[in-house]
Amino acid sequence: MDLSRRQLFKKTLIAGAFMSLPHAAIAGSRQPLVVPPLLESRRGKPVFLGLESIQTKLVNDTLTEVWGFNGLYLGPTVRVRKGDFVKLNYRNNLPQLVAMNIQGLQTDSNTLGGIGHSLKPGETWAPIVPINQTAATCYYHSCSLAGSAYQNYRGLVGLWLIEDDESRKANLPNKYGVNDIPLILQDIHLNNQNSPVFSSNEPHFMGNRLFINGQEAPYLNVARGWVRLRLLNASISRSYELRFDDEREFLLIAKEQGFLPEPKPMKSIHLGTGERIEMLVDLNEGGNVSLIAGKKRGIFDKLSLFIDDNGEVADNTVLELRPEGLISAFNRQPSYQFSSIATRPKQIAQERTFHIDNENAMINQKRFDPRRIDVNAKQGSVERWHITSSSAAGFRIQGAKFLVESQNDQAVPDNELVWQDTLRIANKATLLVQFDNRSSNAQPFIFGSSDLLQADKGAIGLLVVQE
């Protein structure tokens, strides 16, 4: 990055002032985490989601126009249960067409929404959504054709959690906002007036600031014990390598469509665009600890970012956890055991090969064409999809789910099999895709890049599933 003499002088002054601040002063300026309110649908209680333009304070006291739901930046967390029907009510109070999707929801396309069902300004839509799947972490968001990146960036994103009887009875932290914490990650580019700006001129969008639930580097006071973090990467293009700043171990317990057969101890994990995970972290002992994106930064790393950000976010803190109180004598490691565990399908209907060109926004050398159905699949079938990418890329599918059979020719062991609908592909992957839900030519599902800018430019295809 070329800097003028004036810019360099200004950055040097800021860096000098930054270095003179003690770490405690920097941490003391953080704001407490805002937890999205919880909307629960039980026994036919309707869920209202009004898409709106609002004013919020992203940094300092500067009011900024953003989008969201029900008067909030981003959306409330919707929690539903298997076996229920949800009376969902959308109302578009925004000045442009918006199509909505609940990524990960296993239902037919006529109730899911998608690019085939756009809401005009002032229009409402009230589908009755059946919940037939086991516990999962989904999310609702804009999937407007050629406009999803901008609309998600403005704030049309919210978590959609599915519970079943087994997940509710499991020995896991389950007090929403207390020891069961939702975290929505977005990178945003702020200009000198602290207003978000968006550009679609590059192949990928990278913001210069990292926001969690609409805040930069927040903290949360929690009681000592085990804490459950539910993470959604709602960034347009950026993926994150997550770890704790003291390199402590955590337990990965779930991905998009359900729980792993057993908790997997890890020290770091990649979270691609659109991916969701659940982790457990032990806070029985020790002091404050931060979940970070990337590597821990020393003072000289932070200083270098003032000179050249090199495409990185200014502060890579996701959340600082501040444990309080005494250790509970009954706070053993959480555990679970579910009857529905993912197993490899035995019958494969057919195999397909897809290549994602992550720079030119194409799949198999083709860009999206609304008049072309790219995949016709039979309802109830399983297919093996071989997917390669020109560089690390995110992949997603609507209305279906998959098991990752192998990544980069490395087979996934049985004790790590879990149903997913989104995946970060470093080079190549083989997926076993199961098609349980119907779609039509008029309202097809989509599949392709989970990088929303790439998707808007054409790196998606149409999927029709019929009997």
Side-chain angles (χ1 to χ4, degrees):
M1 180 185 297
D2 294 329
L3 295 172
S4 68
R5 186 175 299 176
R6 178 176 296 179
Q7 288 175 316
L8 182 59
F9 180 67
K10 180 180 178 181
K11 284 178 177 284
T12 302
L13 288 177
I14 295 173
F18 176 84
M19 290 184 69
S20 67
L21 288 174
H23 177 75
I26 298 171
S29 66
R30 292 179 178 163
Q31 298 297 311
L33 177 74
V34 172
V35 176
L38 184 64
L39 289 182
E40 290 203 82
S41 175
R42 291 290 294 138
R43 299 180 179 88
K45 180 181 178 182
V47 171
F48 294 93
L49 294 173
L51 289 65
E52 302 171 353
S53 173
I54 61 170
Q55 299 280 325
T56 193
K57 297 176 182 178
L58 288 176
V59 293
N60 303 325
D61 291 324
T62 305
L63 282 173
T64 301
E65 183 194 3
V66 293
W67 291 357
F69 299 86
N70 301 356
L72 302 169
Y73 176 43
L74 305 177
T77 297
V78 178
R79 189 163 67 186
V80 301
R81 293 186 188 178
K82 180 184 178 183
D84 276 357
F85 285 83
V86 179
K87 296 180 180 178
L88 185 56
N89 292 265
Y90 292 113
R91 181 178 181 85
N92 182 13
N93 297 317
L94 294 169
Q96 56 185 254
L97 289 170
V98 181
M100 293 297 298
N101 169 47
I102 305 174
Q103 181 63 29
L105 185 67
Q106 300 298 299
T107 188
D108 294 348
S109 64
N110 61 340
T111 54
L112 182 65
I115 61 173
H117 194 117
S118 294
L119 299 177
K120 300 176 183 178
E123 189 176 4
T124 62
W125 181 42
I128 297 178
V129 183
I131 308 300
N132 297 318
Q133 66 202 94
T134 54
T137 299
C138 308
Y139 74 107
Y140 59 97
H141 69 110
S142 159
C143 68
S144 304
L145 187 59
S148 65
Y150 175 74
Q151 292 177 355
N152 278 258
Y153 181 73
R154 294 300 302 270
L156 296 187
V157 179
L159 278 167
W160 179 286
L161 307 180
I162 299 174
E163 292 185 333
D164 59 21
D165 289 341
E166 289 187 327
S167 70
R168 294 180 64 239
K169 295 176 183 177
N171 178 30
L172 294 170
N174 59 10
K175 295 180 180 178
Y176 180 82
V178 178
N179 60 8
D180 184 355
I181 313 300
L183 300 173
I184 301 176
L185 283 65
Q186 293 177 299
D187 59 330
I188 298 176
H189 190 88
L190 297 184
N191 61 17
N192 292 334
Q193 288 74 45
N194 289 326
S195 294
V197 292
F198 180 79
S199 173
S200 59
N201 295 331
E202 300 295 328
H204 311 282
F205 177 85
M206 298 290 177
N208 58 2
R209 309 282 280 271
L210 176 58
F211 285 79
I212 315 300
N213 297 355
Q215 299 170 281
E216 189 174 29
Y219 74 89
L220 182 68
N221 294 325
V222 292
R224 289 201 177 275
W226 287 84
V227 173
R228 179 182 188 177
L229 302 179
R230 302 181 190 245
L231 294 115
L232 159 64
N233 181 1
S235 295
I236 303 305
S237 302
R238 189 188 293 273
S239 63
Y240 302 94
E241 186 180 17
L242 301 175
R243 57 169 50 84
F244 286 94
D245 62 355
D246 63 356
E247 295 293 338
R248 72 175 58 194
E249 196 171 74
F250 60 86
L251 299 177
L252 177 68
I253 61 169
K255 293 189 178 181
E256 293 86 18
Q257 291 291 318
F259 290 89
L260 275 70
E262 60 187 48
K264 181 181 179 181
M266 304 183 73
K267 286 194 173 182
S268 68
I269 186 171
H270 268 104
L271 191 66
T273 49
E275 284 190 306
R276 291 89 67 199
I277 60 170
E278 294 184 35
M279 66 168 67
L280 298 176
V281 57
D282 185 1
L283 299 179
N284 278 295
E285 299 178 357
N288 300 349
V289 62
S290 292
L291 182 67
I292 59 175
K295 296 182 179 180
K296 184 176 181 180
R297 295 174 180 174
I299 192 67
F300 290 104
D301 297 312
K302 297 174 183 179
L303 174 61
S304 67
L305 288 174
F306 282 98
I307 307 302
D308 185 351
D309 61 23
N310 198 31
E312 296 188 46
V313 292
D315 190 329
N316 67 339
T317 302
V318 175
L319 178 67
E320 182 186 8
L321 293 165
R322 301 179 179 179
E324 299 177 323
L326 300 176
I327 300 174
S328 170
F330 303 100
N331 213 315
R332 298 187 299 270
Q333 178 175 316
S335 61
Y336 59 82
Q337 187 173 2
F338 298 119
S339 59
S340 55
I341 295 176
T343 56
R344 302 176 197 270
K346 295 181 180 179
Q347 292 188 335
I348 306 299
Q350 70 177 91
E351 301 197 12
R352 303 181 195 263
T353 300
F354 300 96
H355 178 72
I356 301 175
D357 185 337
N358 207 30
E359 296 300 321
N360 298 303
M362 294 190 292
I363 298 177
N364 290 351
Q365 301 302 307
K366 296 178 181 177
R367 286 197 174 90
F368 172 77
D369 185 340
R371 300 163 296 182
R372 183 187 69 233
I373 301 300
D374 298 279
V375 172
N376 282 283
K378 185 177 180 180
Q379 186 179 12
S381 69
V382 176
E383 297 183 357
R384 179 176 282 115
W385 286 18
H386 303 277
I387 302 177
T388 57
S389 59
S390 56
S391 58
F395 172 82
R396 61 171 171 160
I397 191 168
Q398 287 180 348
K401 59 184 180 180
F402 57 78
L403 296 176
V404 181
E405 190 173 37
S406 67
Q407 278 255 54
N408 298 332
D409 296 324
Q410 298 294 314
V412 175
D414 288 347
N415 64 350
E416 294 181 18
L417 286 176
V418 60
W419 290 107
Q420 299 176 238
D421 55 74
T422 310
L423 177 69
R424 180 182 181 271
I425 299 173
N427 185 16
K428 57 182 174 179
T430 300
L431 314 179
L432 300 175
V433 189
Q434 184 164 311
F435 302 97
D436 291 332
N437 305 291
R438 294 185 62 187
S439 66
S440 64
N441 288 57
Q443 287 191 245
F445 296 130
I446 63 171
F447 69 95
S449 179
S450 63
D451 179 326
L452 297 182
L453 197 55
Q454 287 285 302
D456 286 348
K457 292 175 183 290
I460 55 173
L462 294 181
L463 164 66
V464 170
V465 182
Q466 296 179 334
E467 294 179 350

